[in-house]
Amino acid sequence: MPVNIAIDGPVGAGKSSISDVVAQRLHILHLDTGAMYRAFGLAMLRQGIDPLNEAEVSAYAGNVTVSVRYENGEQHTYLGGEDVTGQIRTGEVSAAASGASKWPAVRRAMVDAQRRLAATADMLIDGRDIGTNVLPDAPVKIYLTASPEVRAKRRYDQNLAAGDTTPYEQVLEALNLRDQQDMNRATDPLKQAEDAVLVDTSDLNFEESVEEILRIVERVYGK
Ligand code: DC
């Protein structure tokens, strides 16, 4: 059985960057499942399909192939034969991914692909529904979170560093809205799996968060 570590949590908890470093230290691959939903969202934008139109999205979903390959240990996300890794981090794609990820037909396709990947290699998989739905039997499940205020402050600081001066109050409001959407959608909402370990990084820095997760992994898999 391959090593499977499931990490779920809300936006802004530092999941992606923390998962990257934890996977590197464990010498295993990191599957960022959000990137797959983003690639799907990009396909909808290119086709001119409204991501919120369930009938159109579902009818087209069978034509979209999202896959992942690793180059020097780094994830590259593909749409058909095209590497779209560099095109999926825009606000537009983020909104399209958020909309399209509500629909069962889309989730089924992504979840199937994620399960196939997790069965073939030692992986840390991060997302929203990994411990609850994609890999309910994963030996290690972590729910990574922080208070909304701390997550919004981190996002605000990142934005500022990138030259984006959106006021903190506005960042907090948008984050609360995303939380509501992620936690209240009908299919596979974000929630802590009953057997997941809660890691609250509100009072932890990056390195402390990484070490806390490594300790949890070590309890299950040993050194
Ligand atoms: O983590 P992210 O922001 O890159 O995710 C992009 C979108 O995909 C986000 O709106 C939530 C959704 N998503 C999901 O529904 N299930 C996952 N396992 C991962 C992401």
Side-chain angles (χ1 to χ4, degrees):
M1 287 280 280
V3 170
N4 281 170
I5 297 164
I7 301 191
D8 293 298
V11 68
K15 256 182 316 159
S16 289
S17 43
I18 291 173
S19 295
D20 246 348
V21 172
V22 171
Q24 270 171 24
R25 301 238 181 122
L26 293 170
H27 306 290
I28 64 175
L29 298 174
H30 169 207
L31 176 62
D32 167 5
T33 60
M36 299 174 71
Y37 288 93
R38 286 171 180 270
F40 189 93
L42 177 64
M44 295 302 99
L45 291 175
R46 286 181 175 176
Q47 282 302 315
I49 294 173
D50 175 1
L52 294 175
N53 184 328
E54 180 176 11
E56 276 192 38
V57 171
S58 305
Y60 196 76
N63 300 329
V64 180
T65 308
V66 173
S67 61
V68 162
R69 290 179 215 162
Y70 288 88
E71 290 170 26
N72 301 322
E74 276 196 21
Q75 174 174 339
H76 285 250
T77 309
Y78 281 75
L79 203 47
E82 181 189 357
D83 184 348
V84 295
T85 310
Q87 298 173 56
I88 54 175
R89 297 290 155 194
T90 67
E92 208 187 0
V93 170
S94 181
S98 173
S101 65
K102 291 210 301 204
W103 309 124
V106 177
R107 302 205 66 83
R108 226 175 292 128
M110 298 300 126
V111 168
D112 283 350
Q114 290 157 18
R115 286 184 181 145
R116 279 197 300 273
L117 282 160
T120 57
D122 294 343
M123 273 189 172
L124 181 159
I125 302 111
D126 93 73
R128 306 289 194 285
D129 62 334
I130 310 304
T132 51
N133 177 51
V134 179
L135 301 171
D137 298 327
V140 179
K141 293 184 189 178
I142 289 162
Y143 191 81
L144 189 70
T145 191
S147 71
E149 290 73 20
V150 167
R151 290 185 284 126
K153 175 70 166 63
R154 289 179 189 158
R155 183 53 53 95
Y156 170 76
D157 289 341
Q158 279 168 359
N159 287 350
L160 269 191
D164 174 348
T165 57
T166 306
Y168 167 79
E169 291 304 330
Q170 212 170 307
V171 174
L172 178 61
E173 203 178 309
L175 184 133
N176 279 326
L177 188 70
R178 272 285 284 280
D179 278 0
Q180 286 307 312
Q181 282 173 351
D182 282 349
M183 292 173 187
N184 294 308
R185 76 172 166 234
T187 312
D188 309 335
L190 168 67
K191 64 169 192 265
Q192 183 180 344
E194 273 175 25
D195 51 351
V197 181
L198 178 72
V199 175
D200 186 327
T201 68
S202 301
D203 297 318
L204 301 180
N205 65 28
F206 186 85
E207 182 57 29
E208 289 166 340
S209 307
V210 167
E211 281 169 13
E212 177 65 20
I213 293 174
L214 288 171
R215 267 194 293 276
I216 294 164
V217 172
E218 203 177 289
R219 285 206 290 268
V220 177
Y221 282 113
K223 282 203 184 189

